[in-house]
Amino acid sequence: MKNVKAIGLIFLAMVIGLVAAVYAAGWLSKQGTIASNKVVVATVDIELGSKITPQMLTTVDWPSGSIPAGTFKDAKDLHDRVVKMGVLRGEAVLDGKLAPPGTKGGLSAVIAEGKRAMTVRVNDVVGVAGFALPGNYVDVMVNAQQETRQGEENRQISKTVLENVLVLAVAQEAGRDDTKPKVVSAVTLELSLKDSEKLDLARSVGTLSLVLRNQVDKQTVATAGITKRQLFGEKEPEPAPVAMAVTTPVAAPMVQRRKPAPLPARDCVEVIQSGTRVMHCFDKNKSAAIQ
């Protein structure tokens, strides 16, 4: 009786195994019919600004229904292209992560169109203890003496002059994968041409400080800055009244008029004749009578 039960269990196990094998074979056959295309992927980690070489790439089969936009089928299409964003090993190389064709390698390939790269000196305090890393965003603050009107004392002021500035590189490193703080002596920022002029003037008139900000916070806040008097709760002195210059009207030049010529001397005689008066005058010089 025991042998019959054992044989029955063995037979049941064989049937279950056969069903599982048939199901697995059917599943594998279905997987083999999934359409796929060749996609170029990276065989090593490619840092931003690096020029792509054939040794960095390979092609793999990628399911057609999940191919990302901007992929490449042939590694030859990526010859001498430069990446402007880091590509990880096994990741598909996308056109959106590449600089325009003909771009040379280096930091210049990472700079956005219409932007400039400018480097400022920093220390462990100015550089936010080394947390201002490539890919982060900072505000730039300047502490300087503000010029005032003549006769007034210059006042010290601290003001934010630039906001939401991208850090391109720290020292000579532009990689954005490392999150470990690095205390460096120089930080390279991505700026517009107008902001580059502001930063150049700011670092020449005062001391710069970098203020680390949230990467997703794009809001700008306009401030008037703060002076030393305001910091300690003192009122700013009233501006001195501007003295108005009094101009004395210039007298018009005196025009000397010519005196009229003197009338010639005359002798006059009044003659009354038949009730009519007649005046007779004689010029002394000409001895002529004038009526």
Side-chain angles (χ1 to χ4, degrees), residues 11-290:
F11 179 76
L12 181 61
M14 292 176 63
V15 172
I16 294 174
L18 181 61
V19 172
V22 172
Y23 178 79
W27 183 83
L28 290 175
S29 63
K30 290 182 179 180
Q31 295 297 317
T33 59
I34 295 177
S36 62
N37 289 327
K38 294 292 184 180
V39 172
V40 179
V41 298
T43 58
V44 295
D45 293 342
I46 307 176
E47 296 183 357
L48 76 168
S50 301
K51 184 176 291 187
I52 297 177
T53 61
Q55 293 76 17
M56 298 178 177
L57 306 174
T58 189
T59 55
V60 298
D61 291 327
W62 201 291
S64 301
S66 59
I67 295 179
T71 56
F72 294 86
K73 297 180 180 180
D74 193 345
K76 294 181 180 179
D77 298 335
L78 296 171
H79 182 64
D80 286 342
R81 294 292 297 271
V82 177
V83 295
K84 63 180 182 180
M85 298 177 63
V87 180
L88 300 178
R89 179 182 178 183
E91 182 181 356
V93 182
L94 304 179
D95 185 63
K97 293 190 174 184
L98 303 177
T103 304
K104 302 298 181 181
L107 185 63
S108 60
V110 184
I111 303 174
E113 185 177 356
K115 298 289 186 176
R116 307 290 189 272
M118 190 171 186
T119 303
V120 294
R121 290 188 175 276
V122 297
N123 52 34
D124 55 343
V125 176
V126 176
V128 201
F131 284 98
L133 299 172
N136 294 151
Y137 289 84
V138 297
D139 296 338
V140 181
M141 188 178 297
V142 63
N143 188 304
Q145 292 288 332
Q146 185 180 25
E147 296 181 356
T148 55
R149 296 177 180 177
Q150 186 176 4
E152 297 180 3
E153 182 181 358
N154 291 348
R155 56 181 181 176
Q156 189 173 3
I157 187 172
S158 182
K159 180 174 174 57
T160 301
V161 293
L162 296 174
E163 293 187 66
N164 199 33
V165 178
L166 175 65
V167 178
L168 288 177
V170 292
Q172 283 77 38
E173 299 182 14
R176 302 182 182 182
D177 297 329
D178 193 1
T179 57
K180 184 178 180 180
K182 297 178 182 179
V183 178
V184 295
S185 59
V187 171
T188 302
L189 306 176
E190 184 183 71
L191 304 166
S192 65
L193 185 58
K194 183 178 180 180
D195 289 342
S196 300
E197 296 172 346
K198 288 183 181 180
L199 182 58
D200 184 62
L201 179 62
R203 68 181 179 181
S204 66
V205 299
T207 304
L208 297 181
S209 296
L210 302 183
V211 184
L212 189 64
R213 64 184 297 155
N214 190 306
Q215 293 187 5
V216 298
D217 181 12
K218 305 299 182 181
Q219 183 179 3
T220 58
V221 181
T223 64
I226 185 170
T227 63
K228 182 187 275 188
R229 290 181 179 272
Q230 293 172 341
L231 180 64
F232 293 108
E234 300 178 9
K235 293 184 178 180
E236 291 288 346
E238 294 293 336
V242 180
M244 300 297 293
V246 179
T247 58
T248 303
V250 179
M254 297 295 293
V255 179
Q256 187 175 4
R257 297 181 179 180
R258 297 180 59 184
K259 293 182 179 180
L263 295 175
R266 295 177 180 180
D267 293 332
C268 297
V269 177
E270 183 180 5
V271 178
I272 301 175
Q273 184 179 4
S274 301
T276 302
R277 292 184 178 184
V278 180
M279 184 71 67
H280 295 275
C281 296
F282 304 91
D283 192 340
K284 292 182 178 181
N285 297 327
K286 296 183 178 180
S287 299
I290 300 177

